Amino acid sequence: MSATRVSATRVTATRGGARRGPAIARQTVLYAVLAALAAVFSIPMIWLVSTSLKAQGQVFAYPPVWVPSPVRWVNYLEAMDRAPLLVWLANTAMITILAMAGTLLSSSLVAFGFARLRFPGRRLLFYLLLSTMMLPDVVTLVPQFVLFRSLGWVDTFAPLVVPAFLGGGAFNIFLVRQFYLTIPRDFDEAARLDGASNLRIWWHILLPLSRPVLVAVGIFSFVYHWNDFLLPLIYLQSEGNKTLALGLRAFISPTDASWNISMAASMFLVVPVLIVFFVAQRQFIRGVVMTGISGR
């Protein structure tokens, strides 16, 4: 009996190894393809970093120079001498952080109303909200400018921050609502038996469980407001109120094409976005995936 068992174990192991062979081969090919695609998509970023450290004569050299020689860290100092990059960086950070906080707060609160409360016309209002996503931003640009000008908000940060506290955007509301639908209602009912109000249920129960989707919404909001060019161009006029995306136009000159200095200035805009994404990428991916579980 023991010999028979040993023989059966060997056969099973052989079959298992035979099945694992093609799987390992497929996985290796998949990783190789993904690595090749990652390398291709990384070329613009590598070129940006490389150019920011080159001398002007190496920018358009042929064949291309990928490794600067010598490495010119002084390009970053020269970029800061040409324009108030640190002031623009502080303005961009302030607008982005305030707008991101408003987006997270308001979108999660509105999504709670659509996902957990029952009131007449709820579905109609939700579909109406989603329909606003089909409107281009330029359609509402003129009415918004007239409104903010009448309020005296032109050349202030208010037009770039206050709207984030008034709903947070239809897409963000949809994303958070879909995530809320994956959370069992038993938590709400148990909290209501203990006398909790709707706001307390939202704050103490749903928000702590919604970290992945809130991270995803926060990253979307961060990238949008950090890279926004159109709205700062419309509302911000004085040099001290400019953002990085708007201020980088100062490095574009038809008479002085110092691309190495322009790339060094652009790094101030690119690096924070990369840091935020790499720090929060796991929660970001989980939040986006979890929103598709429930289709109610």
Side-chain angles (χ1 to χ4, degrees):
M1 290 294 294
S2 59
T4 304
R5 290 179 181 176
V6 170
S7 233
T9 303
R10 289 177 179 175
V11 170
T12 303
T14 303
R15 290 178 179 176
R19 284 196 298 268
R20 283 196 300 269
I24 293 174
R26 286 195 299 269
Q27 198 171 29
T28 302
V29 172
L30 177 62
Y31 286 158
V33 172
L34 291 177
L37 290 175
V40 171
F41 286 111
S42 299
I43 289 176
M45 185 62 198
I46 296 172
W47 183 256
L48 172 66
V49 176
S50 174
T51 305
S52 70
L53 298 172
K54 292 178 182 177
Q56 176 63 17
Q58 293 180 335
V59 175
F60 295 107
Y62 187 82
V65 178
W66 290 95
V67 180
S69 180
V71 176
R72 288 177 51 88
W73 295 103
V74 72
N75 290 345
Y76 291 88
L77 298 178
E78 187 173 344
M80 288 188 287
D81 288 338
R82 291 193 181 189
L85 286 177
L86 296 181
V87 175
W88 297 344
L89 179 64
N91 293 341
T92 307
M94 180 182 298
I95 293 171
T96 302
I97 292 173
L98 291 176
M100 184 171 62
T103 298
L104 291 173
L105 184 67
S106 59
S107 63
S108 61
L109 185 57
V110 175
F112 173 79
F114 283 122
R116 314 303 266 195
L117 303 183
R118 294 290 182 263
F119 54 89
R122 178 174 60 95
R123 286 186 177 274
L124 178 61
L125 287 176
F126 183 67
Y127 294 148
L128 183 62
L129 172 71
L130 294 182
S131 67
T132 62
M133 296 173 61
M134 295 186 293
L135 292 176
D137 293 337
V138 294
V139 173
T140 59
L141 190 59
V142 173
Q144 285 181 355
F145 179 81
V146 173
L147 172 63
F148 293 143
R149 186 181 60 180
S150 65
L151 294 174
W153 288 1
V154 176
D155 202 25
T156 68
F157 296 160
L160 308 177
V161 173
V162 173
F165 287 86
L166 304 177
F171 175 75
N172 296 325
I173 294 172
F174 170 77
L175 207 63
V176 180
R177 173 194 178 265
Q178 293 301 107
F179 190 91
Y180 281 168
L181 292 177
T182 66
I183 301 176
R185 289 183 175 274
D186 297 343
F187 297 136
D188 302 25
E189 295 171 1
R192 285 195 176 91
L193 290 176
D194 292 335
S197 63
N198 287 326
L199 285 178
R200 193 165 185 178
I201 293 172
W202 165 69
W203 182 259
H204 289 285
I205 297 178
L206 291 186
L207 282 186
L209 296 174
S210 305
R211 181 180 176 184
V213 72
L214 294 180
V215 170
V217 170
I219 290 179
F220 284 136
S221 176
F222 181 91
V223 173
Y224 173 79
H225 290 97
W226 187 269
N227 294 326
D228 190 17
F229 176 79
L230 180 60
L231 294 184
L233 177 64
I234 298 297
Y235 295 113
L236 302 181
Q237 299 171 355
S238 59
E239 195 74 16
N241 285 338
K242 285 184 177 180
T243 61
L244 274 173
L246 184 60
L248 287 179
R249 294 179 62 202
F251 291 89
I252 302 175
S253 172
T255 59
D256 182 18
S258 301
W259 292 105
N260 54 340
I261 307 302
S262 300
M263 296 300 104
S266 299
M267 290 295 293
F268 286 85
L269 187 67
V270 173
V271 170
V273 177
L274 295 178
I275 293 175
V276 168
F277 179 76
F278 282 117
V279 168
Q281 62 175 323
R282 180 172 298 178
Q283 294 291 334
F284 170 75
I285 295 172
R286 183 184 173 196
V288 173
V289 170
M290 288 292 291
T291 56
I293 291 180
S294 177
R296 290 176 291 175

